[in-house]
Amino acid sequence: MSEVLREGRAVLQSPSAIPVPVLVAGIAIIAIRCLSVALQIHELGFEELRNFLHRSAQAWDSTLIFIASQLLFFIELRCAIALMRGKNWGRVGYVLSQLVVLIYMSIASMGWIYPEIFSVSGVNNMHILHQLMVQKLPELIIVLLLFMPASSRRFYHPG
């Protein structure tokens, strides 16, 4: 803290000190989230996006799921920034957020809860689980980049 007060700016790690797998994972999280929002807006168009927001506000369960999804979006972005700064809670938070998403999507896809927003369609339960795993493959690769390489492990556990 004294360095920040003396120099008047925050002391950050240089980008070269961040291991490549961690940097790739952090950038991938941010890119995937931002691209998904942009693609969704493009897919729906302005009028349908407005209708979607209006329908989400009609019932409490839809509203809560919509708000939770937006909160999760910002939590994932915050975790991405934190993990690139070497904060272990960032990668743990990202894994926990992905577990929440995976559990919700599997339950919603099986039709066990309503509304089935953010669900995957399929012929039977095994097909649904397969589709879900295929859809979540990029996030699994990101988690592996954060935990598997030795450089990533050393970055979060110095010493």
Side-chain angles (χ1 to χ4, degrees):
M1 184 67 178
S2 62
E3 294 168 355
V4 173
L5 294 175
R6 258 186 277 137
E7 296 180 20
R9 61 180 173 82
V11 178
L12 299 175
Q13 292 180 333
S14 69
S16 62
I18 301 172
V20 172
V22 173
L23 192 60
V24 168
I27 291 170
I29 293 169
I30 294 169
I32 288 171
R33 297 301 164 251
C34 292
L35 280 174
S36 68
V37 169
L39 289 172
Q40 190 69 35
I41 291 171
H42 176 68
E43 177 76 21
L44 292 176
F46 178 71
E47 190 63 34
E48 190 60 35
L49 180 65
R50 208 173 67 117
N51 289 337
F52 173 72
L53 293 174
H54 180 70
R55 282 190 309 266
S56 293
Q58 296 298 313
W60 279 105
D61 49 359
S62 297
T63 304
L64 290 176
I65 289 172
F66 181 74
I67 291 171
S69 70
Q70 298 308 306
L71 183 64
L72 196 61
F73 172 81
F74 290 114
I75 288 171
E76 288 176 347
L77 289 180
R78 179 65 182 117
C79 287
I81 293 168
L83 64 87
M84 287 193 293
R85 290 188 174 175
K87 308 286 187 208
N88 191 44
W89 67 263
R91 71 180 183 157
V92 172
Y94 180 72
V95 169
L96 291 176
S97 70
Q98 288 307 305
L99 284 174
V100 167
V101 168
L102 187 64
I103 290 168
Y104 173 79
M105 285 183 73
S106 60
I107 291 172
S109 297
M110 300 293 179
W112 295 343
I113 60 172
Y114 184 80
E116 297 168 345
I117 303 173
F118 308 115
S119 64
V120 177
S121 60
V123 181
N124 56 27
N125 289 349
M126 290 306 293
H127 186 257
I128 290 172
L129 291 176
H130 178 263
Q131 289 295 103
L132 188 59
M133 290 301 128
V134 169
Q135 186 174 355
K136 298 308 281 179
L137 188 62
E139 284 81 5
L140 177 62
I141 292 171
I142 290 171
V143 169
L144 291 176
L145 284 173
L146 293 174
F147 286 93
M148 291 299 289
S151 61
S152 296
R153 290 192 305 267
R154 279 193 305 272
F155 184 62
Y156 294 107
H157 300 292

